[in-house]
Amino acid sequence: MITIVRYSAKEEITHEWDRFIEGSRNGTFLFFRAYMDYHKERFTDHSLMFYNDSKLIALLPANERENVLYSHQGLTYGGLIIGSDTTTIHVIEIFECLGNYLKSIGITRVRYKDIPWIYHTLPSEEPLYAMHVVCKNYKIVERDVSSTIDLHNRLKWRESRKSGLRNARKHNIKVTFSEDYATFWRILNDNLLNKHNAKPVHTLEEITLLHDRFPRNILLAVAQQDGNIIGGSVVYVTKQVIHTQYISATEEGKHMGAIDATIDFLLDSFDSQRYFDFGKSTEADSYTLNRNLLFQKEGFGARTVCYDTYEWTL
């Protein structure tokens, strides 16, 4: 019998949550409470824990707002997290119980972000089938395009990217891992402000806090010329995926191939992961495709993986 417990920030519950993430087949460090809760004041957390009898078999990172349950809005992805012993029948029963639970507390709608398959250490698409058979009125409301390189089957770079790398070598640009988030953040802020009148999702204080909490998972690679940082990338490293959370360079760095050199360095820096993911090139609820950004990513040999968001009413 499936029972549902709402997550609370008690020490023993937090440990149980995090231990399950560690042993799950589709969880990543973004679901550890030390990551999820760094901006907890922005959301009303309504994360759920699912038990079969007394055994924890699934987690749902979530928040609520105006009678809607969201796959946590502070995360890029975040559907049902399942263990190796969790079966298809378990997940169907979880979705049935979830609907009854949410209706009993006045939730009228669910907005669910699935965990893209590239993050699965074992096949884990049981939630998609359970949604299909239980949530009769579900629909895809967003389908974002992310660009991913299969590190076991890499395509050749487009000539424009090769040219950028040759240019970087000509200008003696060196790429290393660094702790100098402050300098990179000034470059990133300037780029986003000047091009898009925007700011990074994370402040400098937030990204340094998260790096301190997850030093093996959040890394900064910087491109330097004569010791001066002219570009770089913050990457999130999970069991399966290296994800470029931020990429940026000065105008001078762009002309000298700093981004090409950074990507070349990163692609050769990891041995255990299968995929290198550049993230989304879609905007405005996924209907607007940034073609220039996509062209750049595909120039490195990346191809599309969809990040899907589903919705249903109760």
Side-chain angles (χ1 to χ4, degrees):
M1 178 180 177
I2 303 296
T3 56
I4 299 175
V5 174
R6 182 172 177 177
Y7 172 82
S8 64
K10 295 178 180 178
E11 184 175 3
E12 65 274 15
I13 294 179
T14 296
H15 288 165
E16 186 178 22
W17 177 285
D18 286 350
R19 283 196 303 269
F20 188 85
I21 297 296
E22 286 180 346
S24 71
R25 50 186 161 113
N26 61 345
T28 70
F29 77 93
L30 279 74
F31 301 126
F32 287 127
R33 298 310 307 197
Y35 189 96
M36 288 182 60
D37 293 342
Y38 85 90
H39 52 8
K40 61 184 178 182
E41 70 283 351
R42 302 179 198 171
F43 304 98
T44 301
D45 190 273
H46 201 133
S47 297
L48 299 172
M49 308 172 76
F50 301 89
Y51 295 82
N52 183 38
D53 296 326
S54 60
K55 182 180 180 181
L56 183 61
I57 62 168
L59 303 173
L60 181 62
N63 67 281
E64 66 169 279
R65 182 165 57 89
E66 297 177 351
N67 298 325
V68 180
L69 187 81
Y70 293 87
S71 278
H72 204 288
Q73 291 177 290
L75 301 172
T76 305
Y77 50 85
L80 194 72
I81 300 162
I82 51 182
S84 57
D85 294 332
T86 310
T87 68
T88 302
I89 300 303
H90 286 146
V91 177
I92 292 171
E93 292 174 350
I94 284 170
F95 270 73
E96 290 171 343
C97 291
L98 176 63
N100 293 332
Y101 165 79
L102 294 176
K103 284 188 284 189
S104 75
I105 60 171
I107 297 293
T108 59
R109 185 158 51 94
V110 178
R111 199 169 179 93
Y112 180 93
K113 290 182 287 192
D114 193 43
I115 302 171
W117 59 267
I118 54 175
Y119 291 94
H120 301 177
T121 56
L122 290 169
S124 300
E125 294 192 337
E126 290 89 345
L128 296 182
Y129 181 72
M131 186 193 316
H132 180 65
V133 298
V134 175
C135 311
K136 300 299 185 182
N137 61 5
Y138 82 95
K139 59 183 178 180
I140 296 176
V141 291
E142 293 184 22
R143 172 161 279 169
D144 287 295
V145 167
S146 190
S147 300
T148 304
I149 296 172
D150 182 343
L151 296 175
H152 292 184
N153 187 22
R154 289 165 61 170
L155 300 178
K156 293 181 179 179
W157 286 21
R158 192 173 287 142
E159 178 56 35
S160 58
R161 301 272 62 92
K162 292 179 183 178
S163 176
L165 184 58
R166 289 193 297 268
N167 200 26
R169 290 169 177 164
K170 183 177 72 175
H171 286 93
N172 199 31
I173 290 175
K174 305 296 183 185
V175 184
T176 60
F177 287 112
S178 171
E179 299 285 318
D180 193 353
Y181 283 84
T183 298
F184 177 73
W185 232 247
R186 285 195 292 271
I187 295 170
L188 179 64
N189 270 311
D190 288 346
N191 262 334
L192 289 175
L193 184 63
N194 294 333
K195 282 197 165 186
H196 307 288
N197 194 29
K199 295 180 180 180
V201 172
H202 302 91
T203 65
L204 173 61
E205 292 74 22
E206 287 172 340
I207 199 67
T208 52
L209 170 68
L210 290 170
H211 169 67
D212 289 343
R213 290 180 178 179
F214 300 98
R216 293 181 297 177
N217 300 104
I218 299 176
L219 303 174
L220 170 65
V222 296
Q224 301 178 73
Q225 187 191 47
D226 298 329
N228 297 314
I229 295 175
I230 57 173
S233 177
V234 173
V235 292
Y236 279 19
V237 182
T238 61
K239 291 178 184 178
Q240 288 282 101
V241 180
I242 304 113
H243 170 74
T244 54
Q245 184 73 13
Y246 298 103
I247 304 174
S248 196
T250 64
E251 287 304 314
E252 183 183 27
K254 292 173 186 175
H255 292 307
M256 290 191 292
I259 290 176
D260 304 275
T262 300
I263 299 303
D264 182 64
F265 170 81
L266 289 170
L267 288 173
D268 291 334
S269 293
F270 300 92
D271 297 322
S272 301
Q273 286 71 26
R274 175 68 187 266
Y275 302 104
F276 188 95
D277 184 56
F278 285 100
K280 300 175 184 178
S281 299
T282 35
E283 305 164 3
D285 294 333
S286 78
Y287 285 103
T288 300
L289 182 63
N290 187 329
R291 293 175 180 242
N292 290 334
L293 183 59
L294 181 64
F295 180 82
Q296 180 189 55
K297 295 171 182 177
E298 291 182 341
F300 293 111
R303 295 297 182 263
T304 292
V305 169
C306 289
Y307 282 44
D308 287 346
T309 302
Y310 300 84
E311 185 175 287
W312 63 90
T313 55
L314 300 166

